[in-house]
Amino acid sequence: VSKHNHMLAEELETAHKMQMRLMPQESPKIAGFDIEGWCKPATEVGGDFFQYFTSDDHRLVMILADVTGHGMEAAIPTMVLSGILESQIKLENKPDNLLTELNGSLYRILDKRTFICFCAVEIDMNERILSMSNAGIPYPYLYSYNSGGVEEIDLTALPLGLRAEASYPICQKKLERGDFLIFCTDGIVESQNSRGEHFGFDRLINCIQSGGMDSLSAKELIDKIFKKVSDFSGESQR
């Protein structure tokens, strides 16, 4: 039994390394922008995924995905998504069209009990305009440097792979210097403490707002959020 458990642990570690290699090893270095991402699976492998794609026409596409389930049940569809995305992004990088094409492919491939929450954001780096489509990811947050307020970008559609045909609306926002755009999967807000309380949206918004007012870097803000979650949840952190 001990030998078998050791073998399983090694296989999970290998799967973990493979999954982490699907995600960026470093953040894009773009003049005028500070970009940072971090994935921390609740177990050795999981369903969270993010990626960046840049193009020659001064556009950056950011992807965030969360596959239903846990462990290998979620990790394998994540790897499937990564492969399809690499091909599809070369053909279509407009968020709404990208989600439509991905949904059609994933509906045919995925088990009918599996679906993928997904968000795509395209930023025109010259005009500082972001275009976004969201399929079930918690509402992204936009911190305004000028007002000091935090806005939830209310944009909702069905997760990918749930129905053969679905529409994915797109919204646009103008970014000003000093603004923050933050998006995350539900692992942050659903983290629990020993009393079963959730970290929740209000704590996350307060954390983002205080980080914005302190003019933190992107990495410093991520570190702040994860520390707040860790301090809140303690040993029961998910």
Side-chain angles (χ1 to χ4, degrees), residues 14-100:
T14 299
H16 171 77
K17 291 178 180 178
M18 290 176 61
Q19 183 178 12
M20 298 307 291
R21 282 198 295 270
L22 295 176
M23 287 176 273
Q25 303 305 302
E26 59 182 22
S27 298
K29 302 296 188 289
I30 300 171
F33 291 84
D34 182 15
I35 301 167
E36 191 72 28
W38 190 23
C39 178
K40 184 179 180 181
T43 55
E44 289 85 350
V45 291
D48 287 355
F49 171 80
F50 75 100
Q51 189 54 272
Y52 311 111
F53 299 92
T54 56
S55 61
D56 295 334
D57 56 357
H58 306 288
R59 282 175 168 80
L60 169 71
V61 177
M62 300 184 292
I63 300 297
L64 179 66
D66 182 9
V67 181
T68 54
H70 300 282
M72 293 301 293
E73 178 188 15
I76 292 175
T78 302
M79 296 178 186
V80 171
L81 169 65
S82 176
I84 296 174
L85 183 60
E86 287 284 349
S87 300
Q88 194 61 50
I89 200 74
K90 297 175 183 178
L91 302 174
E92 181 56 72
N93 60 12
K94 296 298 181 183
D96 52 344
N97 294 335
L98 176 63
L99 267 66
T100 298

Side-chain angles (χ1 to χ4, degrees), residues 198-228:
H198 289 94
F199 185 77
F201 295 100
D202 290 342
R203 290 185 178 87
L204 177 57
I205 291 173
N206 290 337
C207 187
I208 291 170
Q209 188 169 34
S210 64
M213 296 178 71
D214 291 340
S215 298
L216 299 183
S217 69
K219 184 179 185 307
E220 288 171 340
L221 181 57
I222 287 178
D223 290 343
K224 178 184 179 71
I225 292 172
F226 273 86
K227 185 177 188 308
K228 287 288 186 181

